[in-house]
Amino acid sequence: MFDFGKMFEILGENGSMILYGTISTLILAIFGTGVGLLLGIFLAYGKNVKFKESDSKIMKCLKGICLVFCNVYSTVLRGTPMMVQALVFKYFCSGIGINWNDLTPSGEISSIFNGWLYAGLIVITLNTAAYMGEIVRSGLNGVDVGQVEGARSLGMSSARTSFSIILPQALRNALPTIGNELIVNIKDSSVLNVIAVTELYYRMVLIAGREFAYLECYVILAIIYLILTLLSSGALKLAEKKLDGVKFSYNPFRFLRKKEL
Amino acid sequence: MSEVILKVDNLAKFFGKTKVLKDISLEVNKGDVIAIIGPSGSGKSTFLRCLNLLEEPTRGLLSYRGKPYFQIYKCKDDFVNYKAYNEALEKYENELVRTEDNLAIYQNKYIEDKTNKGLLKYIKQAKKEFKEVRKHPVEKINFFDKESYEAAIKEIPSFSINQKEINKIRTELTMVFQSFNLFNNYNVLDNCILAQTKVLHRSYEEAKEIAIKHLTSVNMQDRMNYRIKELSGGQKQRVAIARALCIDPEIILFDEPTSALDPEMVDEVLNVMKKLASSGMTMIVVTHEMNFAKNVANKVVFMDKGYIVESGSPKDIFDNPKTERLKEFLRVEKAK
């Protein structure tokens, strides 16, 4: 049944391939979450647009378009599976004559940075942005109104208030959910294998077929994903503590230390 | 003769139908400490927020050092014929009730006796009548005297300044809040520095020096690197005062600065405010602390239901109140 020796054999023989796959997955997840967060901030502000009586008709029209676009975007992107979005994107691109394979550079680097990775990055970013929009919006709405009043009473402009006071607090409040999204992205990037993005899952399937050792390969796959998510959630916890100004120790066995006092 | 730095004329604020402030006029001289007292819901806080335009007044004239920064002499509401409007509204509502009752009577009769098909005709008629009445509701715009409104506007034009100038006014008329409103994402020192570097464009070193000076004057110099959530309520309010002082305002508006604090902390904040007052800072303080109003203020304003009922020196207000309302208010306050 399960063969430990075989598992290490596979790891040893296909080490570079697994490493490339892991790096691709990490690039997909981190880039997707980061840029998705940036787009999500714009989306959240777009959704929070409010009509004022003093606005001119053109302004009202623009605001309306902005609202409709943001709402339609997040409804469609959140309401369909990322796998389907990837497929639609792929065939849409080939329909209008874009061949992602042409973008693949030559040389050693192409084993990670190939054309389909770029396509995958676009899909995962657009998909994450839809979720991030809601996450950032909940963060923005969670900031106390008093913070705005405090800033405005000191003469700060509304843009300055948003940038220096509201957004940092909103992002801090939303950080656990943003971290959640990163973990989801690490795992969900595996569905991008449908458009031939050579990430971890895709490569492992190839290896499993070649070595004819399915159980061992998929156990390795599970363990790698687990390690990646554990590391990233740990990093996020540290980031949270750092933002709160709490002193922390990197030593995981700190509870064994005797207290002096 | 001291100069008038803030002048308020006929200030009014309506939230929809409720009139929170009605025709408030006030003059503030340099160095004045004005205490505004009054029961809850009398519009004290709204008045204060109108002064630095955190709340936009409906009508009125606000000028700072002789230069108006908000001027709507007459608002549209002033030219609505309210007497006729209310009469018409009453008539319309009565008519609505009458026709609806009429309809209900026929419908009930029909439910009791379903064989009586002749009633259906009456029900149909009553329904039509009811709908006809509902089709023509009374609208305010029909009672609005547009011509005299436009004439009044032409006589004294309304204007409100743009956002940039409003921000400038706010640095002169800054505010200290009941709920502190310190920036939670910065520490004490950065709270005081931020507005200086971003709004007044001072260099960081200069801003830091000024911040330390003012934090020392409110006795918070040993907590400069603390986060806001590590402070007690009284300390927060003292930092808020220091933050307001840092941008060199002409007037500081205090919106019930001690209401969210327990009695011991109230004293530490009031002591800072007393020190400020004696240094010649112009202050407008909305407060429930009668002792502060009595001993520190040089002018006390009593507000009730959106009006200034009585104003004068603390001696006049507390020792021989003229109006019945103020006498009652002071009696209740004393009983506490």
Side-chain angles (χ1 to χ4, degrees):
Chain A
M1 252 274 289
F2 189 73
D3 189 351
F4 270 105
K6 180 87 182 161
M7 215 170 91
F8 288 109
E9 206 176 287
I10 293 168
L11 266 179
E13 278 172 13
N14 303 292
S16 62
M17 233 176 133
I18 294 173
L19 185 67
Y20 288 151
T22 313
I23 292 172
S24 310
T25 294
L26 275 180
I27 289 171
L28 280 168
I30 292 171
F31 182 91
T33 316
V35 182
L37 178 60
L38 273 180
L39 293 179
I41 290 170
F42 286 111
L43 206 61
Y45 274 104
K47 277 186 162 193
N48 261 357
V49 159
K50 285 190 183 73
F51 292 97
K52 280 184 204 155
E53 262 184 57
S54 55
D55 287 337
S56 63
K57 265 184 186 163
I58 299 169
M59 197 65 200
K60 271 183 187 165
C61 213
L62 284 177
K63 279 182 175 177
I65 291 170
C66 168
L67 263 181
V68 168
F69 171 78
C70 292
N71 279 321
V72 168
Y73 179 86
S74 73
T75 310
V76 171
L77 271 279
R78 288 192 305 156
T80 51
M82 187 157 78
M83 197 191 265
V84 179
Q85 288 161 18
L87 289 171
V88 169
F89 180 73
K90 176 185 175 180
Y91 289 110
F92 177 74
C93 284
S94 61
I96 60 172
I98 299 171
N99 191 358
W100 288 97
N101 241 344
D102 296 344
L103 290 174
T104 308
S106 58
E108 183 68 16
I109 203 169
S110 69
S111 52
I112 295 175
F113 290 98
N114 53 40
W116 289 112
L117 181 78
Y118 300 144
L121 282 176
I122 291 173
V123 172
I124 202 168
T125 305
L126 292 181
N127 181 279
T128 311
Y131 290 94
M132 284 295 184
E134 287 301 292
I135 291 167
V136 174
R137 197 168 69 99
S138 79
L140 286 176
N141 294 346
V143 176
D144 183 22
V145 194
Q147 299 285 318
V148 184
E149 284 181 354
R152 299 311 293 277
S153 75
L154 292 170
M156 287 192 209
S157 64
S158 64
R160 170 58 63 195
T161 307
S162 292
F163 195 72
S164 298
I165 313 290
I166 307 305
L167 200 55
Q169 290 186 44
L171 290 183
R172 167 62 194 89
N173 291 344
L175 194 60
T177 338
I178 292 168
N180 203 12
E181 197 62 25
L182 175 66
I183 289 170
V184 167
N185 271 344
I186 288 175
K187 294 180 293 171
D188 278 6
S189 61
S190 62
V191 302
L192 292 175
N193 74 77
V194 293
I195 57 168
V197 178
T198 53
E199 40 69 56
L200 189 57
Y201 171 79
Y202 185 87
R203 299 213 187 222
M204 219 56 187
V205 170
L206 290 185
I207 294 168
R210 198 168 58 212
E211 300 279 344
F212 213 66
Y214 292 102
L215 183 58
E216 285 83 356
C217 276
Y218 291 137
V219 168
I220 292 174
L221 187 61
I223 290 171
I224 294 175
Y225 274 125
L226 194 60
I227 291 171
L228 289 183
T229 50
L230 276 177
L231 284 179
S232 56
S233 67
L236 279 158
K237 237 176 223 167
L238 286 185
E240 248 172 72
K241 282 188 176 168
K242 181 129 200 176
L243 277 179
D244 288 347
V246 181
K247 287 193 183 79
F248 55 87
S249 152
Y250 293 100
N251 181 4
F253 300 109
R254 56 187 173 276
F255 58 88
L256 291 176
R257 257 190 239 144
K258 265 186 194 164
K259 275 186 183 165
E260 300 282 324
L261 263 168
Chain B
M1 189 67 201
S2 51
E3 53 172 333
V4 177
I5 46 175
L6 183 71
K7 206 174 162 206
V8 184
D9 249 341
N10 290 326
L11 190 75
K13 171 74 189 168
F14 309 151
F15 286 112
K17 266 187 178 175
T18 41
K19 300 182 176 180
V20 184
L21 296 176
K22 304 158 200 163
D23 292 338
I24 301 241
S25 298
L26 191 70
E27 273 184 9
V28 182
N29 295 323
K30 192 162 174 51
D32 266 357
V33 178
I34 296 181
I36 302 177
I37 57 172
S40 301
S42 57
K44 309 181 300 281
S45 292
T46 312
F47 171 57
L48 216 58
R49 293 162 63 84
C50 279
L51 289 185
N52 67 357
L53 301 180
L54 273 183
E55 209 85 69
E56 196 177 330
T58 314
R59 137 163 75 79
L61 229 149
L62 295 169
S63 55
Y64 172 74
R65 285 188 184 280
K67 226 175 121 188
Y69 62 90
F70 180 86
Q71 175 172 319
I72 292 180
Y73 178 61
K74 292 277 184 191
C75 68
K76 282 182 180 172
D77 239 38
D78 293 337
F79 293 95
V80 174
N81 188 349
Y82 268 100
K83 204 179 159 206
Y85 171 65
N86 285 336
E87 271 171 19
L89 202 65
E90 201 177 325
K91 204 174 146 197
Y92 164 73
E93 270 162 12
N94 284 341
E95 195 73 0
L96 210 63
V97 169
R98 190 185 64 77
T99 48
E100 201 171 8
D101 281 355
N102 214 4
L103 178 64
I105 288 167
Y106 285 124
Q107 274 173 341
N108 284 343
K109 261 186 196 165
Y110 181 67
I111 288 165
E112 277 168 22
D113 181 13
K114 292 218 169 174
T115 51
N116 194 350
K117 295 289 179 195
L119 276 173
L120 282 176
K121 199 177 87 190
Y122 290 110
I123 289 177
K124 212 172 174 185
Q125 204 179 348
K127 231 179 212 170
K128 202 175 159 193
E129 206 178 343
F130 174 61
K131 274 184 184 163
E132 194 64 32
V133 172
R134 217 170 43 174
K135 226 184 237 173
H136 305 288
V138 178
E139 275 173 31
K140 223 179 190 175
I141 194 88
N142 297 333
F143 298 88
F144 174 54
D145 189 353
K146 201 173 174 188
E147 277 164 26
S148 45
Y149 169 68
E150 273 166 4
I153 290 289
K154 222 173 238 171
E155 198 181 323
I156 301 179
S158 306
F159 77 94
S160 48
I161 53 177
N162 64 24
Q163 196 58 46
K164 225 173 184 174
E165 287 171 83
I166 290 179
N167 290 341
K168 217 171 197 176
I169 285 292
R170 281 180 184 151
T171 62
E172 300 292 344
L173 293 166
T174 189
M175 199 160 177
V176 173
F177 297 88
Q178 181 180 3
S179 50
F180 325 122
N181 294 350
L182 291 168
F183 308 138
N184 295 325
N185 53 334
Y186 293 103
N187 66 14
V188 170
L189 189 61
D190 288 339
N191 258 284
C192 296
I193 289 175
L194 189 72
Q196 292 187 62
T197 53
K198 304 296 183 197
V199 181
L200 303 179
H201 306 294
R202 288 180 185 150
S203 71
Y204 184 82
E205 281 73 28
E206 192 192 354
K208 192 173 172 184
E209 213 168 275
I210 293 170
I212 291 174
K213 188 181 97 192
H214 288 301
L215 281 170
T216 312
S217 77
V218 298
N219 211 5
M220 286 294 293
Q221 67 277 24
D222 47 349
R223 312 230 154 188
M224 285 191 298
N225 293 319
Y226 279 50
R227 306 207 130 229
I228 297 305
K229 63 181 171 191
E230 293 165 348
L231 301 179
S232 74
Q235 289 169 338
K236 280 184 196 171
Q237 198 59 285
R238 271 148 59 199
V239 173
I241 292 172
R243 183 180 73 171
L245 284 172
C246 279
I247 56 169
D248 297 332
E250 196 69 48
I251 305 175
I252 302 186
L253 313 169
F254 289 85
D255 186 7
E256 305 195 21
T258 55
S259 299
L261 306 175
D262 58 56
E264 268 179 38
M265 293 174 179
V266 168
D267 280 344
E268 64 181 58
V269 172
L270 286 184
N271 285 336
V272 168
M273 286 167 67
K274 275 176 201 163
K275 215 167 108 187
L276 259 183
S278 61
S279 75
M281 174 60 81
T282 316
M283 294 155 56
I284 304 179
V285 189
V286 168
T287 185
H288 289 294
E289 297 292 324
M290 290 305 141
N291 282 330
F292 179 83
K294 210 184 251 176
N295 300 328
V296 183
N298 62 355
K299 189 176 178 188
V300 179
V301 174
F302 175 65
M303 278 179 72
D304 187 35
K305 289 176 184 161
Y307 289 107
I308 290 184
V309 180
E310 217 174 315
S311 68
S313 68
K315 216 174 170 192
D316 290 342
I317 294 285
F318 289 103
D319 294 344
N320 40 28
K322 291 184 194 80
T323 50
E324 220 26 67
R325 183 73 190 87
L326 179 56
K327 277 178 196 163
E328 195 193 323
F329 177 75
L330 289 176
R331 200 161 54 237
V332 173
E333 279 294 326
K334 225 171 242 171
K336 274 184 202 163

